[in-house]
Amino acid sequence: MYQTTKRPDSPVSIIGAGIAGAWQALLFAQAGHSVTLHERSDAAMTDATSHWAGGMLAPYCEAEVAEPIISRLGLRSLDIWRRELPDTPFNGSLVVALPRERNDFERFARMTEGHQRLDAAGLAALEPSLEGRFREALFFPTEGHVEPRRVLPKLHERIRAAGGTIKFSSDVSAKDLDGIVIDCRGLVARDEAPELRGVKGEMILIETDEVQLARPVRLIHPRWPLYVIPREAGLFMLGATSIEAEDTGVSVRSALELLGAAYAVHPAFGEARIVEFGSGLRPAFPDNLPRIGVRGDRIAVNGLFRHGFLIAPALAELTLAYVERGQIDNEVMQCA
Ligand SMILES: Cc1cc2nc3c(=O)[nH]c(=O)nc-3n(C[C@H](O)[C@H](O)[C@H](O)COP(=O)(O)OP(=O)(O)OC[C@H]3O[C@@H](n4cnc5c(N)ncnc54)[C@H](O)[C@@H]3O)c2cc1C
């Protein structure tokens, strides 16, 4: 059994207040550790990939393309989200397709579990705005979604309430910190993990009061999963591309596809106001799987790729179990 070289009551420093670091800080602070969370940007967190995310908590839908470990971590995380932030919306998610994508729709149904098939009337009963738009849909009733730009401050508030300290504008290096250090720097951690790469995800925020949705709607698309996520006050996020590139910005082609997807979900989105274009770089290892790298009391949590919101709580729980009890999860942890 591995063990940290520090006593479990050593101070815990966490670097990076994105979704990975925020959940680490919260679970460690609640467990009674003396936690300091360092974030080099200000509280707006616009440099974090987490700022740009859709925030879908969709372990069943993601199983269409992700490996079983993502479902395992994701399902565990749903319980932790429910326990820690009980007001998280768990209204489920919907998958729909245009008639020409019928085969891919059936493939999605075969590749995933935890869904119910809805006919047009069932879809309209759930989402009246979508009445007459699609002949059928898949409904994943137990999935949730969060608004990243609201939930990050909420998690930060909870960390303080649990006795943790958060230092914004604090650009730190692990070697300057004592005690247990948990590195959650996302793509910036390439200095220590050169195999990390950024996978660009583009998004668009639009605003209209002509469409009301209670849950994310995914539109089957031949290249990437496109979706419309309802935010508060008539806002909708359209996401997300997945491109092997590390530039920022949104291409015309991606904008056309994202806006086209929204228009296909509901033509009233054609009259919506564009509020924002943006993109973030998802931190990914070559196998696109998350990793908790352990070197004694130096721990690195990274590679959350397109599942950060979905799996961060479970990763934090595993890190805590390692620090407190020396417990190793062989699927996720790599010990030097
Ligand atoms: C368009 C898009 C849509 C997405 N949709 C979803 C989704 O629906 N569901 C989902 O689960 N995931 C989604 N993701 C993926 C998710 O956003 C990422 O997996 C997640 O944000 C990665 O979080 P992180 O905490 O590892 O990194 P980050 O959010 O980048 O956080 C790292 C933080 O570390 C800080 N930092 C770096 N160096 C230092 C230092 N030296 N000192 C102090 N601080 C430092 C940075 O400033 C940053 O704030 C999406 C991503 C994109 C781009």
Side-chain angles (χ1 to χ4, degrees):
M1 182 180 287
Y2 290 81
Q3 201 77 59
T4 58
T5 51
K6 304 283 179 199
R7 287 155 45 90
D9 57 357
S10 296
V12 178
S13 299
I14 294 153
I15 313 178
I19 195 65
W23 272 105
Q24 296 282 338
L26 180 58
L27 294 200
F28 273 82
Q30 284 181 337
H33 293 267
S34 166
V35 166
T36 306
L37 175 58
H38 297 271
E39 169 54 49
R40 70 178 186 176
S41 67
D42 60 21
M45 301 278 305
T46 48
D47 291 339
T49 303
S50 302
H51 180 77
W52 302 102
M56 289 183 296
L57 310 176
Y60 294 105
C61 284
E62 289 299 318
E64 190 230 353
V65 285
E67 300 201 26
I69 177 67
I70 300 301
S71 304
R72 171 165 79 86
L73 296 171
L75 288 171
R76 177 63 198 142
S77 293
L78 292 195
D79 291 340
I80 305 175
W81 276 107
R82 280 201 183 88
R83 184 187 77 205
E84 300 300 334
L85 294 177
D87 56 349
T88 302
F90 279 95
N91 301 337
S93 15
L94 282 166
V95 175
V96 295
L98 297 172
R100 66 170 181 263
E101 313 294 356
R102 170 88 208 164
N103 288 344
D104 286 339
F105 177 83
E106 287 303 328
R107 181 184 175 279
F108 199 105
R110 280 196 309 277
M111 298 297 290
T112 55
E113 296 175 348
H115 56 72
Q116 303 160 7
R117 277 181 185 263
L118 300 180
D119 60 12
L123 176 61
L126 209 58
E127 293 287 8
S129 283
L130 297 185
E131 183 169 8
R133 299 291 315 141
F134 300 95
R135 274 186 301 204
E136 58 181 333
L138 300 175
F139 177 45
F140 295 78
T142 56
E143 297 190 332
H145 68 284
V146 293
E147 149 70 290
R149 298 176 190 184
R150 287 177 184 267
V151 93
L152 280 174
K154 211 183 262 186
L155 285 169
H156 296 159
E157 197 183 293
R158 294 287 308 275
I159 293 161
R160 291 195 189 91
T165 301
I166 306 184
K167 294 186 176 174
F168 286 105
S169 307
S170 175
D171 190 342
V172 293
S173 171
K175 64 180 174 354
D176 301 326
L177 298 167
D178 290 329
I180 295 164
V181 178
I182 307 176
D183 180 345
C184 299
R185 289 178 295 150
L187 202 53
V188 180
R190 270 203 287 217
D191 54 352
E192 305 229 337
E195 69 276 31
L196 270 176
R197 74 186 198 286
V199 180
K200 181 168 145 178
E202 297 152 297
M203 53 77 78
I204 302 177
L205 209 54
I206 60 173
E207 184 180 26
T208 179
D209 55 13
E210 307 241 326
V211 183
Q212 278 83 42
L213 296 175
R215 53 190 61 78
V217 178
R218 290 180 187 234
L219 181 71
I220 300 281
H221 182 276
R223 273 185 300 286
W224 32 61
L226 296 182
Y227 49 78
V228 180
I229 306 178
R231 303 288 197 223
E232 285 180 10
L235 291 171
F236 295 85
M237 178 191 160
L238 315 179
T241 57
S242 189
I243 300 174
E244 294 290 339
E246 295 198 357
D247 63 306
T248 50
V250 177
S251 73
V252 170
R253 178 196 171 105
S254 297
L256 287 170
E257 294 202 4
L258 291 168
L259 294 168
Y263 188 72
V265 169
H266 201 298
F269 281 129
E271 308 306 320
R273 196 168 67 88
I274 296 179
V275 176
E276 185 182 324
F277 288 97
S279 69
L281 295 179
R282 307 174 179 96
F285 287 116
D287 59 6
N288 291 338
L289 296 179
R291 189 183 301 164
I292 301 175
V294 178
R295 270 182 292 136
D297 51 326
R298 306 278 127 159
I299 300 168
V301 181
N302 217 320
L304 279 67
F305 185 42
R306 45 183 278 176
H307 304 117
F309 285 78
L310 176 61
I311 63 176
L315 292 176
E317 192 175 63
L318 292 177
T319 312
L320 184 64
Y322 165 73
V323 167
E324 294 198 329
R325 301 186 293 282
Q327 216 169 291
I328 300 286
D329 184 295
N330 285 320
E331 252 189 309
V332 186
M333 289 184 166
Q334 283 190 359
C335 303

